[in-house]
């Protein structure tokens, strides 16, 4: 049966069609592919078989997606029978790209039981108002009217008694549900409340890529893995954390690609790799620089690429460690134009495309939120070198504008000298524990196999010095000319960070423009308002000094301003409390500051449990929204299989109702107009509902979804009906064009069209001459050991789990039955034995930040000196005390607080301090207290 | 007395590529949500994925006998105990989240002493054997083999088990089963369960309602590792035929138990080599060949050579039909229609 026929048949739906499909042998024979059996071959049992035929039947099937913090973005069909959603199945109708395996089927163990949250015991059915203590789980049922009235009044009280910026709305991850995301942002925007960053706070932001490339982050779609001839899985286990895409790794291997997995533990992806390299945890940068050593030593460097695409030829003053700037040499010269040394003319020559240079016609008005600057209007070929031949090696003299002569060296010369001196295979072997020969072999394979791809993950992205790690990965990729090539590049798959149609999301969220919106940087927000202790003084880093400077100079934003405390906290689509690092401080110090905590949720998660008012949200199968991801290049959707059950509502509708209620209460209380000093604007609360819905043009979620599609180049021309028919490929993307049938890989605007990179230097920038980088000794990507600020013996590793998406599905019964019923601390046998711990024993885990009591699973895939626990079980789950986040501190790296250096500036989720929990250390001992029954 | 089984017109057959199975359990859940989601069916996993080496599900199934002896007589194996399945965890979330009952939500059966459940379907996940860094493990998906010589069928005293003539699927007639449970003992794979609620034997039905419509089974159609093939062995264009009959790289699990399974495994050939104390790589793979031979028989070395040779061709950028079949760029080439 052809696909079209089948779809047409199913679209008929209804009883008439189902009657023929499921009610009898005649119809079955007609539809079956097999030729009719001869009578003597017929068995006589057929009657009872109808039992299971009936079970595999449905009245309707609708588009479904799982609107959670997951990168999968897996199109599903949702099947409904007699008004009950019975199950879901991957839709398997994603279009194919050319020459690579298809994306179908796309799903996972969690997505296959998404209905469980629809009907399960966690479901929030009605508006609830807390009657016990926060976290106790005692509630009374309220009407929507009452609950929204309390919330609106408390917000108006806060505006009257404190300031509007004391109202905080937290909702993360626009890509998975941009309409739902925008609902609360639009509301916050209109009243003047602040909203939050999340990509950085969650530890997903590839800070080093922003430093090097001037982008928030960009990666190849997963199908491009198949095009790599060599894949380095670096701290990444797709078989566990990128389940729908893991097949591309194994298929690449079968297709003749070599797979190397670099990870301390023998993980579920490594078991199929050709080579396993297991450095000591946190020493990966040293390994990368050891590889760079071999590439440079053995002349495996793509010199032409390095000269054109990177700042490595740029001249640095040896007296100040700063770039040689036009302002150094020329009166009135730019501080954002830089020099290379031209081998032919033996003179310093200004490089093209630097930050200080403007494209013909001036700077473009439109600034993509995910780029350091908009260089897309520069003509093609701008950074091409032409006749210029910049020196990479050597030492030169430059004459300053005052006539003084200074020594200058290309970055490459400075850096190569250090790499050749400090990162010999022998030294790197001592740091990492990896055999010298393995380092050399790896480097040579990487330097001689084209294209070669680095795939990195949480294993390398959650460290205090993760930024350097990604800078070093880019160094390897640039030295070998792998950037911008299909099958090449550096691809950090961590976090659901790519709402490809971002201009549409921004237009819906911020009708007055993002510049008129209060964004707070969440890592700083939590660190400050929770008064979190980071122990960094023990390693000689005064976080607060840098933080103060960053905030005073408005390099990074913090709300509320002027030392006020947040008062109203509205959280939805994110389990803020459960995921919060420094959780003990959050509960002890931040939570009491909040007069009202509101949670809009389909389930009673930990944040909901510790809230004052919980509002029932529609489940993913009861609402309409879009979904996008960085892992593939298709937009798909979910739509209501059934109407929202109980009293639950779509987030879009909830914030419209809240706007209406706020408007009514404001009018009643004589607060129709509120002046906002910071933006010098008078906000009209008497028309809030009309503003929220754009006078009815955005009344429904479907209208909002279409608005997003219409307002982004990636999706302009795509309609909801088209997506309902089949997932649709993006028409444009962030840093490379979308080519028919070709997997997307980033940065081709720079590597192929040769537009300037969106960095200060207009190149991939490895040298960052900001004072703070120089103070920390990281103006170049050099190895920095993990931060051992916790004086405890075991590294505490908190990866993602196979059986959960962060906290979602952690408490799912089916998932727990496929584990051991609860969270586990995985311990290597030697460490367990040394502590008298046996498999399944309860153990106490602690450090200076907090304590947790958990069961132990003895695991021989773990290296000694480390324990592992999949992150963030819910606070009501089967531990005796605490959770992973009890012992994970909030640590802010000063370099991530920089906001006054070209492309290093604050934009929400573009640059800012992130999660650095993998440096944490703990002690473990046998728990001898009372075990609750 | 051996029962007469008419050879089916076509035999539904499966190939599992252990080089591609990622142990994600999507198939397990897909099957459970479709077929065994009723009260009483909690311990019943028609489909499961277990870590190997390991005890599997039910615990130690491979050591419990069953199948046929050399004389062709069906063997009565040991009945798995309730402890070998483990009592499925239950959780009272409502009490904690909505009714203010203090404490944490504990899995039931309750913990006693320091331990808790005796066993569960994936209890020893990712554990395997060997000492770091030379430890090893891989995943083994299992469901009913829809054997050509089903021991369950042979053992059933009530003639409730039959093999369908049209597709070779082995089924338990739920109206004829009288709860003798001989099938549970006879199946050397412990893939026949007993449903305590209905008091009937319960086993994988080969997704026959889907097969009848030309649609792939739920486990294969949703296999996101793209590790499974399903088709009719007689269909020479099918990937199962090509892999098993032409390339001969699909091997039955414990084939010597005499049931003639129609589920075939491509043994794991990908994976790193062991290393010496200095961290230098040796040439032997971490998974011992003897272990694979134990599971998949004496043909393993031959199959490993074929797989290595064919992958070797791709490493040299030469074509390999076998690798192309295993890659399966289009799902439709690996199975019956994947669409529902």
């Amino acid at each position: 049966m052809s696909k079209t026929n089948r779809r047409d048949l199913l679209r008929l739906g209804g009883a008439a069609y189902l009657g023929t499909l499921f009610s009898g042998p005649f119809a079955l024979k007609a539809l079956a592919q097999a030729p009719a059996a001869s009578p003597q071959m017929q068995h006589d049992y057929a009657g009872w078989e109808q039992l299971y035929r009936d079970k595999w039947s449905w009245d309707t099937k609708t588009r479904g997606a799982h609107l959670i913090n997951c990168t999968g973005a897996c199109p599903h069909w949702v099947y409904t029978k007699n008004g009950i959603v019975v199950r879901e199945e991957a839709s398997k109708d994603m279009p194919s790209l050319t020459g690579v395996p298809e994306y179908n089927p796309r799903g996972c163990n969690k997505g296959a039981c998404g209905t469980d949250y629809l009907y399960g015991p966690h479901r929030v059915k009605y508006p609830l108002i807390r009657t016990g203590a926060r976290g106790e789980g005692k509630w009374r049922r309220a009407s929507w009217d009452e609950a929204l009235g309390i919330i609106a009044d408390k917000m108006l009280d806060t505006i009257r008694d404190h300031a509007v910026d004391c109202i905080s709305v937290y909702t993360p991850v626009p890509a998975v549900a941009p309409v739902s995301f925008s609902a609360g942002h639009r509301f916050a925007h209109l009243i003047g409340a602040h909203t939050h960053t999340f990509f950085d706070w969650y530890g997903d932001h590839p800070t080093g890529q922003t430093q090097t490339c001037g982008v928030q982050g960009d990666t190849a779609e997963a199908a491009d893995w198949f095009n790599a001839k060599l894949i380095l899985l670096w701290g990444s286990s797709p078989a566990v954390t990128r389940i729908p895409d893991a097949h591309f790794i194994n298929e690449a291997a079968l297709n003749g690609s070599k797979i190397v997995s670099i990870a301390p533990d023998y993980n579920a992806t490594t078991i199929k790799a050709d080579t396993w390299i297991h450095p000591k945890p946190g020493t990966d940068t040293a390994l990368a620089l050891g590889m760079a050593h071999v590439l440079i030593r053995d002349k495996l460097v793509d010199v032409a690429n390095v000269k054109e695409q990177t700042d490595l030829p740029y001249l640095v003053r040896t007296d100040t460690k700063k770039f040689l700037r036009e302002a150094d040499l020329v009166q009135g010269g730019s501080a954002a134009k830089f020099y290379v040394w031209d081998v032919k003319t033996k003179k310093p020559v200004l490089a093209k495309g630097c930050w200080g240079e403007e494209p013909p016609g001036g700077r473009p008005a439109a600034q993509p939120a995910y780029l350091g600057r908009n260089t897309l209007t520069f003509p093609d070929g701008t950074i091409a070198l032409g006749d210029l031949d910049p020196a990479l090696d050597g030492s030169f003299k430059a004459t300053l504008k005052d006539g003084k002569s200074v020594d200058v060296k290309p970055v490459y010369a400075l850096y190569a000298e250090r790499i050749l001196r400090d990162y010999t295979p022998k030294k790197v072997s001592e740091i990492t524990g990896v055999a010298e020969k393995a380092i050399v072999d790896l480097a040579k394979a990487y330097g001689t196999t084209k294209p070669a791809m680095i795939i990195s993950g949480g294993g390398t992205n959650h460290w205090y010095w993760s930024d350097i790690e990604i800078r070093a990965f880019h160094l390897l990729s640039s030295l070998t000319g792998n950037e911008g090539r299909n099958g090449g590049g550096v691809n950090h798959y961590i976090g659901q960070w790519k709402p490809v149609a971002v201009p549409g999301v921004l237009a819906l969220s911020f009708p007055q423009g993002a510049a008129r919106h209060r964004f707070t940087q969440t890592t700083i927000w939590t660190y400050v308002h929770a008064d979190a202790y980071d122990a960094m003084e023990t390693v000689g880093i005064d976080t607060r000094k840098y933080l103060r400077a960053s905030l005073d100079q408005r390099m990074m934003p913090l709300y509320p301003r002027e030392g006020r405390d947040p008062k109203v906290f509205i959280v939805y689509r994110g389990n803020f409390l459960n995921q919060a690092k420094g959780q003990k401080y959050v509960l002890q110090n931040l939570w009491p500051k909040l007069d009202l905590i509101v949670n809009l949720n389909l389930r009673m998660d930990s944040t909901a449990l510790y809230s004052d008012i919980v509002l029932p949200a529609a489940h993913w199968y009861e609402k309409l929204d879009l979904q996008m991801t960085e892992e593939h290049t298709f937009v798909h959707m979910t739509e209501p299989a059934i109407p929202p059950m109980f009293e639950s509502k779509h987030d879009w509708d909830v914030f419209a109702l809240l706007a209406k209620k706020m408007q009514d209460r404001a009018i009643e209380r004589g607060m129709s107009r509120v002046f906002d000093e910071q933006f010098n604007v008078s906000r009209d609360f008497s028309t809030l509902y009309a503003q929220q819905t754009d006078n009815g043009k955005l009344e429904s979620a479907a209208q909002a979804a279409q608005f997003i599609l219409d307002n982004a180049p990636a999706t302009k021309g795509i309609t909801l009906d088209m997506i309902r028919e089949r997932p649709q490929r993006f028409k444009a993307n962030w840093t490379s064009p979308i080519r028919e049938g070709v997997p997307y890989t980033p940065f081709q605007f720079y590597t192929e069209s040769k537009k300037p990179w969106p960095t200060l230097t207009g190149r991939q920038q490895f040298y960052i001459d900001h004072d703070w980088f120089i103070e920390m000794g990281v103006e170049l990507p050099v190895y920095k050991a993990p931060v051992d600020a916790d004086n405890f013996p075991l590294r505490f590793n908190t990866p993602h789990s196979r059986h959960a998406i962060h906290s979602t599905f952690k408490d799912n019964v089916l998932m727990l039955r496929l584990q051991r019923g609860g969270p586990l601390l995985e311990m290597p046998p030697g460490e367990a034995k040394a502590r008298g711990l046996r498999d399944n024993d309860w153990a106490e885990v602690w450090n200076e930040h907090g304590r947790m009591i958990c069961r132990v699973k003895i695991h021989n895939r773990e290296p000694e000196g480390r324990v592992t626990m999949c992150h963030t079980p819910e606070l009501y789950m089967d531990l005796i005390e605490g959770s992973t986040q009890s012992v994970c501190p909030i640590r802010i790296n000063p370099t991530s607080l920089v906001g006054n250096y070209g492309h290093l500036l604050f934009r929400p989720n573009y640059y800012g301090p992130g999660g650095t929990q993998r440096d944490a250390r703990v002690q473990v001992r046998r728990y001898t207290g009372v075990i609750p029954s | 007395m051996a029962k007469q089984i008419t050879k089916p017109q076509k035999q539904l057959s499966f190939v599992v590529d252990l080089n591609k199975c990622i142990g994600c359990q999507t198939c397990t859940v897909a099957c459970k949500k479709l077929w065994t989601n009723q009260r009483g069916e909690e311990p019943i996993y028609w489909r499961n994925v277990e870590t190997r080496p390991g005890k599997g599900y039910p615990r130690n199934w491979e050591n419990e006998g069953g199948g046929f002896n050399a004389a062709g007589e069906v063997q009565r194996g040991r009945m798995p105990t309730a402890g070998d399945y483990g009592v499925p965890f239950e959780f009272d979330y409502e009490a904690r989240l909505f009714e203010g009952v203090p404490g944490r939500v504990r899995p039931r059966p309750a913990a006693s002493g320091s331990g808790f459940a005796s066993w569960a379907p994936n209890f020893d996940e990712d554990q395997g054997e060997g000492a770091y860094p030379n430890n090893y493990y891989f995943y083994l998906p299992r469901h009913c083999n829809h054997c050509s010589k089903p021991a369950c069928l042979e053992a059933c005293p009530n003639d409730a088990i039959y093999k369908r003539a049209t597709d070779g699927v082995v089924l338990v007639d739920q109206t004829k089963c009288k709860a003798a449970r001989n099938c549970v003992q006879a199946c050397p794979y412990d893939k026949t369960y007993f449903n305590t609620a209905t008091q009937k034997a319960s086993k994988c039905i080969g997704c026959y309602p889907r097969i009848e419509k030309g649609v792939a089974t739920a486990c294969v159609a949703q296999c996101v590792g793209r590790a499974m093939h399903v088709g009719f062995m007689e269909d020479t264009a099918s990937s199962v035929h090509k892999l098993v009959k032409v390339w001969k790289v699909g091997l039955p699990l414990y084939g010597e138990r005499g049931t003639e399974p129609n589920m075939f495994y491509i043994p794991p050939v990908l994976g790193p080599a062991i290393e010496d104390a200095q961290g230098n790589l040796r040439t032997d793979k971490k998974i011992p060949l003897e272990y694979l031979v134990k599971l998949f028989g004496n043909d393993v070395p031959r199959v490993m050579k074929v797989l290595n040779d064919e992958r070797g061709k791709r490493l040299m950028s030469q074509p390999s039909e076998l690798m192309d079949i295993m890659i399966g760029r289009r799902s439709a080439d690996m199975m019956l229609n994947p669409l529902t």
Side-chain angles (χ1 to χ4, degrees), chain B residues 251-256 289-302:
Chain B
L251 300 171
L253 175 64
Y254 286 118
E256 71 277 12
L289 192 63
E290 315 82 80
Y291 184 71
L292 297 176
V293 168
K294 180 185 164 215
L295 295 185
F296 304 114
N298 294 328
D299 257 2
V300 168
R302 178 189 61 74

Side-chain angles (χ1 to χ4, degrees), chain A residues 515-668:
Chain A
R516 289 252 294 256
H517 185 78
R518 292 187 170 93
F519 261 110
T520 199
Q521 205 286 334
T522 303
T523 313
I524 297 172
W525 187 86
T526 313
Y527 183 84
V528 170
H529 294 309
D531 195 16
Y533 174 61
D534 64 7
M536 288 302 289
E537 77 284 357
T538 61
V539 290
I541 295 176
D542 184 353
T543 311
R544 280 166 198 272
K545 180 185 87 180
Y546 292 98
L547 181 56
R548 214 172 296 123
S550 181
L551 294 174
D552 287 350
Q553 296 170 48
R554 297 251 193 267
M555 290 200 273
M556 287 287 149
L558 173 67
Y559 288 102
R561 283 187 172 177
E562 291 155 29
R564 288 186 291 266
D565 290 333
K567 290 292 172 191
V568 176
F569 193 29
I570 301 177
V571 183
Y572 75 106
R573 298 177 54 256
N575 198 349
F576 175 85
L577 174 64
N578 196 64
Q579 307 308 106
K581 292 162 274 280
Q583 194 177 58
K584 183 180 82 177
Y585 309 114
V586 170
L587 275 170
Q588 276 180 7
N589 303 330
L590 168 57
W591 236 237
K593 290 177 182 173
L594 300 166
D595 292 344
L596 179 67
I597 305 168
V598 179
N599 192 269
L600 167 62
N601 211 324
L602 66 96
R603 69 185 177 101
M604 187 64 79
D605 66 14
S606 297
T607 307
L609 187 63
Y610 282 80
S611 294
D612 304 316
I613 296 180
V614 183
L615 302 173
H619 182 273
W620 325 309
Y621 301 161
E622 297 166 338
K623 66 195 274 193
L624 183 143
D625 213 323
L626 302 169
Q627 191 163 67
M628 298 166 263
T629 176
E630 69 270 24
E631 302 227 332
H632 62 68
T633 46
F634 299 87
V635 58
H636 73 114
M637 70 184 295
T638 189
E639 60 187 332
I642 55 172
M645 289 200 297
F646 311 110
E647 291 188 8
S648 67
K649 293 181 192 301
H650 196 304
D651 314 54
W652 188 255
D653 299 333
V654 171
F655 281 97
L657 282 176
L658 186 56
K660 182 79 172 58
K661 180 56 80 177
M662 185 99 165
Q663 166 182 315
D664 293 349
R665 296 296 300 136
I667 294 169
E668 285 169 36

